[in-house]
Amino acid sequence: MGENESSVPSPSQQDKKMAYHKVNADQRAQGHSPYLDNDELQATALELEWDMEKELEEPGFDHFRLDGAVQHHLGNSQSPDLDLEPIQPSSSPKGRFQRLQEDPDYISHYTRQAPKSNRCSFFQILKVFCTALILFIFGILIGYYARKKCPSPSPSQEPNNAHTYHEILKEIKAEHIQQIYRDLLQFPREDDVDIAMKILVQWSSQGLEDVRLVNYSVLLDLPGSSSNTVTLKNSGECFYPSGQQCNRETKTLHSQDLLYSYAAYSAKGTLEAELVDVQYGTVADLIRIQAITNVTKKIALLKLGQSPLLYKLSLLEDAGFGGVLLYVDPCDLPKTTDLTDKAFMVSLNGGGDPSTPGYASIDGSYRQNRLNLTTLLVQPISAVLAKKLISLPEDTVQKDRCIPLQWPAAGKKIISLNIQSVTTYKTISNVIGYLKGTVFPDRYVIIGSHHNSLNIYSGQEWASSTAIITAFIQALTLKVKKGWRPDRTIVFCSWGGTLFGNIGSYEWAEDFKRVLQRNVVAYLSLHNPVTGNSTLHPVASPSLQQLAAESQSIKCVEKTRCPGSNVSSVQIQGDSDYFINHLGVPVTQFSYEDIKTSELTGQVTLQIANEPVLPFNALDIALEVQNSLKGDEADIPQLLAVASRLRDTAELFQSDEMRPANDPKERAPIRVRMLNDVLQSLEKSFLIHRAPPGLYRNILYRLDERTSQFSVLLEALEHCKLHQSNETIQAALSEVLNSINSAQVYFKAGLDVFETTLAGKK
């Protein structure tokens, strides 16, 4: 066709001719060759197609054509020997006829004489018509049953998600959690590996299919053979950290608690020096103290609170102090809480195995010699001992008014601080369980708790955390046995070594960093789920604040019991640290007095794991940024301008991409996947390169609920006051500016990708 023409046909003409050849070949392959191979019947066959064309031009046939296309694809695998393409409405003769009619080569080449016998033509037409009718009916039947057997997702199925969530969550019962909690407390105080193995067995018995034990050899700082002590040089009185006097009877009675009242990774040894009350150790406190005394090699009496411990210790170390006694002022505790005679353990480790900073503690890794993480001798003490050191009466509550502890105007005390902790390598274990998703199995929703390790003090906290996650696993696996599975993979983690500085979570995340950077969409923390009071304390990344608030309102059915609290983005303790500050993963955490924590955590987990479009809010991030720039200190034109552009882009992204994608009628799988890839990385732009000790690298999180500005800017302003230099504030402003600009560029790039995709389709 056209080989003798002087000019080369255009691509469209070639396509038209190829389309005709395909029609002819298809019909021959269907058993029509005894008729259509005869040249005299070519014209007759075309006349039949033209007659069918008139029928297909009927007004109601276009709607049928769309349904037929779906049925053809669904039924194709069930009937491999039957190719219905030549007569399927999805590839109707109308399109082929139009292409053939416009092809001059076809007309000139296939002009034939009329058939010799009208009777022959009649039987030919009748036979072809009957064959077409039979195949057409078969196609309808095959498509119908295939569609019935393998139904495609429809909008009507989506509301069932809420019903599914309710069925799962109602299986999380208080009595189940309490029973699991009691069972966990029966575990003898054993090594981390033994406890982790028992949790693994428990999770497997609940029906979780893929549960693994992941071990790491890490450097731990453990108590010595005897308790640390504080001695008053004037009187010679010796005290344990709890405030009890040093004698054999007391030591035997509470030996375990005494040993584990220490600061892990503190400097070791003995220091005799003057005790200086620095209150909360703020910049203002240090400026006041340094103005009246030389603090070099002295011991600071420091209250916990107002700023992260590691940040305050870094200020004291820079100022020249040699030691620190830590305590909690009773006035900073709820009235129902009495910890005045309790010492405690703290870790001075910012995160992970100190001997392998920034990389996993796998076999063969280089181990750095980092026995101490500070030059300070640090010791936690009880409020009772703090009062004795200050020489105040133990009862400081007068007429329902708490008087904060403070050093008298006149007074000077010399003390001797003795610290004997020991660093050694130990194996810590993580329990990792997987519930594989069906639609997006390579996308992970991680829910994490932690377990007690190495006889560490205060074991009940870990038991409540592990009990709740185990009860949630039990509820999920009951539903899985009935055929349900989440769309995304849910990963359950019980971390080891948390109290030493989130070591288990850090090492696992560093080990699988490349996979997690690509696959993790959210982390849900069960670090301290039961607070023992009636205040619900929800913390969430800006992109998850709306989801956390909605879940809270859903679960609070009885308004009289619905606690009023706002979701905030503030720094929290626990194993979410690496996911927030190194992976930029959205995080949420609930703390409450009862099992409501498990219900809320379960609700959020199920929504993130099952919603087709990730329930993240891009606009809330931009609003959080603008709120963090309020105030005279951050009133910088460049920052305000780039934050405004970020909000504009986020609003456009929210309206143009998020809203249409949440309409089931407009969801295209490829488009949804592209959108989710953008959403899961929204917060990564806000990771600054370096933050002061104790402060988050993720600048979206504030220090606490009392502050509203970026913590790095607040710290830089304080540093400027202390050192009379503005270099730190300029560096911090640059970090924040680049983070906001990076986020705006990322949002804009996401929009550009969708616009390009749409233009390509058009």
Side-chain angles (χ1 to χ4, degrees), residues 80-121:
D81 298 327
L82 199 59
D83 188 356
L84 305 180
E85 184 179 4
I87 61 170
Q88 276 293 327
S90 60
S91 54
S92 70
K94 179 174 181 177
R96 295 197 293 269
F97 170 71
Q98 289 176 335
R99 290 194 293 270
L100 294 172
Q101 189 180 45
E102 297 168 358
D103 192 342
D105 294 335
Y106 164 71
I107 294 174
S108 62
H109 187 74
Y110 281 97
T111 300
R112 301 292 182 189
Q113 298 179 1
K116 294 180 180 180
S117 173
N118 290 334
R119 183 177 180 181
C120 181
S121 299

Side-chain angles (χ1 to χ4, degrees), residues 150-168:
C150 303
S152 58
S154 63
S156 62
Q157 291 177 321
E158 292 195 6
N160 291 334
N161 277 348
H163 178 68
T164 301
Y165 303 160
H166 176 73
E167 286 187 334
I168 294 173

Side-chain angles (χ1 to χ4, degrees), residues 49 251 272 304 325 333 340 410 427 437 526 544 642 656 692 696:
E49 288 195 346
K251 182 177 179 181
E272 184 177 314
L304 290 178
L325 295 181
L333 295 172
T340 54
T427 298
L526 284 171
L544 280 176
V642 72
D656 286 12
Y696 274 11

